[in-house]
Amino acid sequence: MTTTRSAPQSTRSTPRHRGRGAPSTSGGGTAFAGTGTLVRFMLRRDRIKLPAWVCGLGLFVVYIGAALPQIAPTEDDLAAASPMLSQPIGRMFSGPAYGMTPPTYESFFAGGYTLYLYLLAALMNILLITRHTRLEEQSGRAELVRANVTGRHSRLTAALVVAGITNLAATVVVAGLALTNDFSPTGSLLVGAGVGLTGMAFAGVSAITAQLSEYSRSASGLAGIVLGVAFGVRALGDMAEQGGSTLSWFSPLAWPGQTAPYVLDRWWPLLLPVALAVVTIAVAFALQDRRDLGAGLLAARPGRAEATPSLGTVWGLAARLQRGPVLAWGFGILVLGVVDGLFTQVMLDSAGEMPEALRQVFGAEQLADGYMSFLAVFGGYLTAAFIVYAVQSLKSEEDSGRAEAVLATPTARVTWGLSHVVATGVGAVLIMLVTGLAVGAAASGVTGTGSIFGDAFLAHLNVLPAVLVTLGVCTLAYGCAPRLLAPVGWALVAVMFFVGNFAALLDVPDWIFRLSPLDYPAQVPVEDIAWRPLLWLALVALAGVVLGLVGLRRRQISARS
Amino acid sequence: MNSTSSPVIETSDLVKTFGSTRALDGLDLSVAQGEVHGFLGPNGAGKSTTIRVLLGLLRADEGAARLFGADPWDDAVSLHHRLAYVPGDVELWPNLTGGEAIDLFARLRGTLDTKRRSELCDRFDLDPTKKARTYSKGNRQKVALIAALASPVDLLLLDEPTAGLDPLMELVFQECIREAQQAGATVLLSSHILAQVEVLADRISIVRSGRVVETGSLDDLRHMTRTTIVARTDRPAEGMQSLTGVHDITSGDGEVRLEVDGEHVGPVITRLAEHGIQSITAHPPTLEQLLVSHYGHEPEPEEVAR
Ligand SMILES: Nc1ncnc2c1ncn2[C@@H]1O[C@H](COP(=O)(O)OP(=O)(O)OP(=O)(O)O)[C@@H](O)[C@H]1O
Ligand SMILES: [Mg+2]
């Protein structure tokens, strides 16, 4: 673009103008040619997905609006429930807890639940951007499109425009539906704008991660790590102080909450996500200028000419393929666990803010126990998410045709499936064990209480069978109905997450609790270990794996079905 | 172990449907021990589907398939000890090198003959230290070929194995297949690359819309097609159309171009000689013509004959 001034003119005169193509080149340089067409094409491809996401966000608002008066028929009842949000562990998972003295329905909505709207909006944008940029490049479809009259930046621009349209729709829907709950206009608009702008900021973040890696899974994984870290930093920052501490301000997920909707109603914190979006998008375009289509920014090095003996079996292959994900996820989960563990003392200190009634229920030691049991559940659903991710590699092996090549050797289908299931299971166990040890070490180090070490480790061991139920469910889905693997697996993780953090704050029916495997084990170390539920969970996990492998043996392996 | 008379591959009335698509529609295929069998057909004819059924990856809806006399679905694992497969679209693990992938496949199949492996890498001019994601299409194909050829097997199932290879590599491939055949292997070679099949195949089956429409040796099939003759003569060659078996005559500039049925070539040459031949070229029937006569919209020879 910088080298010649005349180039755009000459190229513009050569293609035959067909009327409809013309507006897309009007944006200036040829690097953006065809953006309009791509936007329409992406919107068409996502005509179900994106409206479903936006409707999901809207339903969430409607549900909370309807559920709150059910849990707490008067605002006095609400005040009695508010310590759940305002005590430190509550703040970790719901936000800075503005407007809790005394709470109103709208401030309870903002303080307790909107964080998850922001989180979902970020997730929606990560998936959207990666799907339309890196996944297309990885599959080679982008090459086909680029060979037509589209520019270097058209695809990313179009994806960001689609993200912008979706985020705008989300803003309008969320704000509008909050208004129908009889919440006040300014606060509702702030919540809506928070959703849209947080979404846009994460669209920018994933625009960068899409430049870094050649694989869409690592691109979305990297953006997911950023989101996870943002959640963790905000959790610790908000836990340290009501209204958030300095640490909170380092997390993009804390910014929309700092507008304090319905309480302080301030707009200026939203400048931060705007700035983040602008900067990240600018960086993404700059990075894109420096790389070739289909390439990442990290150059490939040559490797071994011969396989090590360990790579001689399907087991070795599965271990090799799962090694990367285990290390990456394990590292992330470990870091989050250690940081949370290091905050144990802060949490205990800030327990002073807790209402007298709650403190009597817990007592200082009990509070530490409750926190350890909580961290085990936290590590549990993150590890469950790893399992869903890892089992999906079976499906991508099959879809890419690599499974076909392996199964054309004397390798039984069951052995092949089992090798990946075992590699995933071993990875999950290792992640939980190491995290348990590290959380225990961190917590006992900062509190100076040796017994916390054992408690934390035991708490992590205790949830392990429940975590492995995810592996059973995913294997079953993959073996019998591979298309259902992703939806069923992620839905299970979502339920575990929802029940673990969140269901107690809402008056959800018992059966929803029962959907989460993590709800069955005893709350070690608050309660004593209970063996019976653990045995059952292990059996369910095993049954899922066995049935899934039976299903795999009976069904056909079809590449690209 | 296996009596030489019974075919290595035998399918009868194989039917495979995907929803409403009938990918295989009563496919009968028979490949004898030790032969290189060309498996020809246009896109979507059902070649890859047949091979996947033979590998036990897909289950046929109707009909029977036997590989070495055993059922490819039930006995997949034991059968796979005796065969190697090269897919049409080679996908490798992006973060494994080509060398690692070759070794992995060889070890999964049995033992790894490192000498043979490095010899093949040399012959195919493949750098095994590169990560698979950095290979070109042809190089990915070479990895799959080397992996298949590195271990001694009784049957090679090759699905368009040279689609991405350059002509030099194609020659190496042909050498390797001949060696494999000499070593006693049976080869099923699917392709639309007609020249390749022509060079290698002892027998061919032509498949269209899920059925084998023609099968036989190249010579058998040639009887059904015509030789193309282009001749430059001193005097304009007239009256050629009165000869039996001559079709599609075009002439001009002292040159005549015609097609003649395989068994009527002699009289045509005699007649041309009467006009004083300056130069003559005769193309044997290519497999293109075979394919066109089966898949194209060309009229049948009988219809043109008057
Ligand atoms: N997994 C599948 N699901 C649905 N339809 C399929 C599937 N696999 C193959 N088909 C269909 O079956 C038919 C035969 O396909 P096949 O891949 O066997 O053709 P082919 O002869 O190998 O073609 P090509 O020369 O293009 O490779 C095609 O119409 C194809 O669309
Ligand atoms: Mg094919």
Side-chain angles (χ1 to χ4, degrees), chain B residues 42-49 52 88-89 159-160 190 192:
Chain B
N43 293 132
K47 302 181 293 296
S48 303
T49 305
R52 290 200 178 106
D89 239 339
D159 193 357
E160 291 169 40
S190 118
H192 350 91

PDB file of all heavy atoms in Angstrom, chain B residues 42-49 52 88-89 159-160 190 192, ligand 2:
ATOM      1  N   PRO B  42     -14.622 -41.794 -13.175  1.00  0.00           N
ATOM      2  CA  PRO B  42     -14.679 -40.346 -13.000  1.00  0.00           C
ATOM      3  C   PRO B  42     -14.922 -39.964 -11.539  1.00  0.00           C
ATOM      4  O   PRO B  42     -15.136 -40.831 -10.700  1.00  0.00           O
ATOM      5  CB  PRO B  42     -15.867 -39.939 -13.869  1.00  0.00           C
ATOM      6  CG  PRO B  42     -16.728 -41.142 -13.923  1.00  0.00           C
ATOM      7  CD  PRO B  42     -15.818 -42.328 -13.822  1.00  0.00           C
ATOM      8  N   ASN B  43     -14.892 -38.692 -11.248  1.00  0.00           N
ATOM      9  CA  ASN B  43     -15.133 -38.213  -9.877  1.00  0.00           C
ATOM     10  C   ASN B  43     -16.474 -38.700  -9.356  1.00  0.00           C
ATOM     11  O   ASN B  43     -17.469 -38.674 -10.069  1.00  0.00           O
ATOM     12  CB  ASN B  43     -15.145 -36.680  -9.831  1.00  0.00           C
ATOM     13  CG  ASN B  43     -13.784 -36.094 -10.120  1.00  0.00           C
ATOM     14  OD1 ASN B  43     -13.661 -35.196 -10.919  1.00  0.00           O
ATOM     15  ND2 ASN B  43     -12.759 -36.621  -9.489  1.00  0.00           N
ATOM     16  N   GLY B  44     -16.455 -39.157  -8.117  1.00  0.00           N
ATOM     17  CA  GLY B  44     -17.703 -39.566  -7.492  1.00  0.00           C
ATOM     18  C   GLY B  44     -18.212 -40.905  -7.973  1.00  0.00           C
ATOM     19  O   GLY B  44     -19.345 -41.284  -7.693  1.00  0.00           O
ATOM     20  N   ALA B  45     -17.377 -41.668  -8.692  1.00  0.00           N
ATOM     21  CA  ALA B  45     -17.827 -42.948  -9.222  1.00  0.00           C
ATOM     22  C   ALA B  45     -17.961 -43.992  -8.113  1.00  0.00           C
ATOM     23  O   ALA B  45     -18.725 -44.944  -8.241  1.00  0.00           O
ATOM     24  CB  ALA B  45     -16.842 -43.439 -10.272  1.00  0.00           C
ATOM     25  N   GLY B  46     -17.219 -43.823  -7.044  1.00  0.00           N
ATOM     26  CA  GLY B  46     -17.288 -44.790  -5.953  1.00  0.00           C
ATOM     27  C   GLY B  46     -15.979 -45.522  -5.711  1.00  0.00           C
ATOM     28  O   GLY B  46     -15.937 -46.510  -4.987  1.00  0.00           O
ATOM     29  N   LYS B  47     -14.878 -45.021  -6.266  1.00  0.00           N
ATOM     30  CA  LYS B  47     -13.589 -45.691  -6.092  1.00  0.00           C
ATOM     31  C   LYS B  47     -13.156 -45.658  -4.631  1.00  0.00           C
ATOM     32  O   LYS B  47     -12.832 -46.698  -4.045  1.00  0.00           O
ATOM     33  CB  LYS B  47     -12.510 -45.007  -6.953  1.00  0.00           C
ATOM     34  CG  LYS B  47     -12.843 -44.970  -8.437  1.00  0.00           C
ATOM     35  CD  LYS B  47     -11.743 -44.318  -9.247  1.00  0.00           C
ATOM     36  CE  LYS B  47     -11.536 -42.837  -8.985  1.00  0.00           C
ATOM     37  NZ  LYS B  47     -12.683 -41.987  -9.359  1.00  0.00           N
ATOM     38  N   SER B  48     -13.147 -44.458  -4.052  1.00  0.00           N
ATOM     39  CA  SER B  48     -12.695 -44.355  -2.658  1.00  0.00           C
ATOM     40  C   SER B  48     -13.635 -45.107  -1.729  1.00  0.00           C
ATOM     41  O   SER B  48     -13.187 -45.728  -0.753  1.00  0.00           O
ATOM     42  CB  SER B  48     -12.617 -42.899  -2.238  1.00  0.00           C
ATOM     43  OG  SER B  48     -11.772 -42.195  -3.093  1.00  0.00           O
ATOM     44  N   THR B  49     -14.918 -45.044  -2.015  1.00  0.00           N
ATOM     45  CA  THR B  49     -15.876 -45.761  -1.170  1.00  0.00           C
ATOM     46  C   THR B  49     -15.588 -47.259  -1.201  1.00  0.00           C
ATOM     47  O   THR B  49     -15.591 -47.919  -0.155  1.00  0.00           O
ATOM     48  CB  THR B  49     -17.307 -45.474  -1.655  1.00  0.00           C
ATOM     49  OG1 THR B  49     -17.500 -44.069  -1.687  1.00  0.00           O
ATOM     50  CG2 THR B  49     -18.320 -46.103  -0.732  1.00  0.00           C
ATOM     51  N   ARG B  52     -12.621 -47.966   0.935  1.00  0.00           N
ATOM     52  CA  ARG B  52     -12.934 -47.866   2.372  1.00  0.00           C
ATOM     53  C   ARG B  52     -13.719 -49.080   2.846  1.00  0.00           C
ATOM     54  O   ARG B  52     -13.567 -49.507   3.987  1.00  0.00           O
ATOM     55  CB  ARG B  52     -13.719 -46.597   2.660  1.00  0.00           C
ATOM     56  CG  ARG B  52     -12.873 -45.366   2.492  1.00  0.00           C
ATOM     57  CD  ARG B  52     -13.469 -44.178   3.217  1.00  0.00           C
ATOM     58  NE  ARG B  52     -12.569 -43.049   3.041  1.00  0.00           N
ATOM     59  CZ  ARG B  52     -12.823 -42.025   2.235  1.00  0.00           C
ATOM     60  NH1 ARG B  52     -13.962 -41.966   1.582  1.00  0.00           N
ATOM     61  NH2 ARG B  52     -11.958 -41.053   2.103  1.00  0.00           N
ATOM     62  N   GLY B  88      -6.169 -40.986  -0.982  1.00  0.00           N
ATOM     63  CA  GLY B  88      -6.092 -40.017  -2.065  1.00  0.00           C
ATOM     64  C   GLY B  88      -5.701 -38.642  -1.551  1.00  0.00           C
ATOM     65  O   GLY B  88      -4.954 -37.900  -2.177  1.00  0.00           O
ATOM     66  N   ASP B  89      -6.203 -38.328  -0.377  1.00  0.00           N
ATOM     67  CA  ASP B  89      -5.969 -37.020   0.220  1.00  0.00           C
ATOM     68  C   ASP B  89      -5.139 -37.262   1.466  1.00  0.00           C
ATOM     69  O   ASP B  89      -5.671 -37.623   2.487  1.00  0.00           O
ATOM     70  CB  ASP B  89      -7.319 -36.446   0.654  1.00  0.00           C
ATOM     71  CG  ASP B  89      -7.594 -35.134  -0.011  1.00  0.00           C
ATOM     72  OD1 ASP B  89      -6.625 -34.500  -0.453  1.00  0.00           O
ATOM     73  OD2 ASP B  89      -8.771 -34.753  -0.079  1.00  0.00           O
ATOM     74  N   ASP B 159      -5.169 -45.280  -3.516  1.00  0.00           N
ATOM     75  CA  ASP B 159      -6.263 -44.440  -3.992  1.00  0.00           C
ATOM     76  C   ASP B 159      -5.667 -43.172  -4.602  1.00  0.00           C
ATOM     77  O   ASP B 159      -5.270 -42.266  -3.877  1.00  0.00           O
ATOM     78  CB  ASP B 159      -7.187 -44.109  -2.816  1.00  0.00           C
ATOM     79  CG  ASP B 159      -8.501 -43.506  -3.270  1.00  0.00           C
ATOM     80  OD1 ASP B 159      -8.664 -43.296  -4.486  1.00  0.00           O
ATOM     81  OD2 ASP B 159      -9.361 -43.246  -2.405  1.00  0.00           O
ATOM     82  N   GLU B 160      -5.625 -43.126  -5.885  1.00  0.00           N
ATOM     83  CA  GLU B 160      -5.029 -41.991  -6.602  1.00  0.00           C
ATOM     84  C   GLU B 160      -3.682 -41.593  -5.994  1.00  0.00           C
ATOM     85  O   GLU B 160      -3.503 -40.459  -5.537  1.00  0.00           O
ATOM     86  CB  GLU B 160      -5.982 -40.799  -6.589  1.00  0.00           C
ATOM     87  CG  GLU B 160      -7.211 -41.072  -7.438  1.00  0.00           C
ATOM     88  CD  GLU B 160      -8.291 -40.031  -7.231  1.00  0.00           C
ATOM     89  OE1 GLU B 160      -7.939 -38.851  -7.116  1.00  0.00           O
ATOM     90  OE2 GLU B 160      -9.463 -40.404  -7.188  1.00  0.00           O
ATOM     91  N   SER B 190      -6.264 -47.085  -7.888  1.00  0.00           N
ATOM     92  CA  SER B 190      -7.372 -46.275  -8.386  1.00  0.00           C
ATOM     93  C   SER B 190      -6.809 -44.983  -8.955  1.00  0.00           C
ATOM     94  O   SER B 190      -5.804 -44.478  -8.476  1.00  0.00           O
ATOM     95  CB  SER B 190      -8.353 -45.986  -7.254  1.00  0.00           C
ATOM     96  OG  SER B 190      -8.437 -44.609  -7.015  1.00  0.00           O
ATOM     97  N   HIS B 192      -7.641 -41.422 -11.923  1.00  0.00           N
ATOM     98  CA  HIS B 192      -8.132 -40.959 -13.202  1.00  0.00           C
ATOM     99  C   HIS B 192      -6.973 -40.652 -14.116  1.00  0.00           C
ATOM    100  O   HIS B 192      -7.149 -40.145 -15.191  1.00  0.00           O
ATOM    101  CB  HIS B 192      -9.017 -39.714 -13.164  1.00  0.00           C
ATOM    102  CG  HIS B 192      -9.465 -39.235 -11.836  1.00  0.00           C
ATOM    103  ND1 HIS B 192      -8.791 -38.328 -11.085  1.00  0.00           N
ATOM    104  CD2 HIS B 192     -10.577 -39.551 -11.147  1.00  0.00           C
ATOM    105  CE1 HIS B 192      -9.447 -38.085  -9.983  1.00  0.00           C
ATOM    106  NE2 HIS B 192     -10.535 -38.804  -9.980  1.00  0.00           N
TER     107      HIS B 192
HETATM  108 MG    MG C   2     -11.718 -40.732  -4.358  1.00  0.00          MG
END
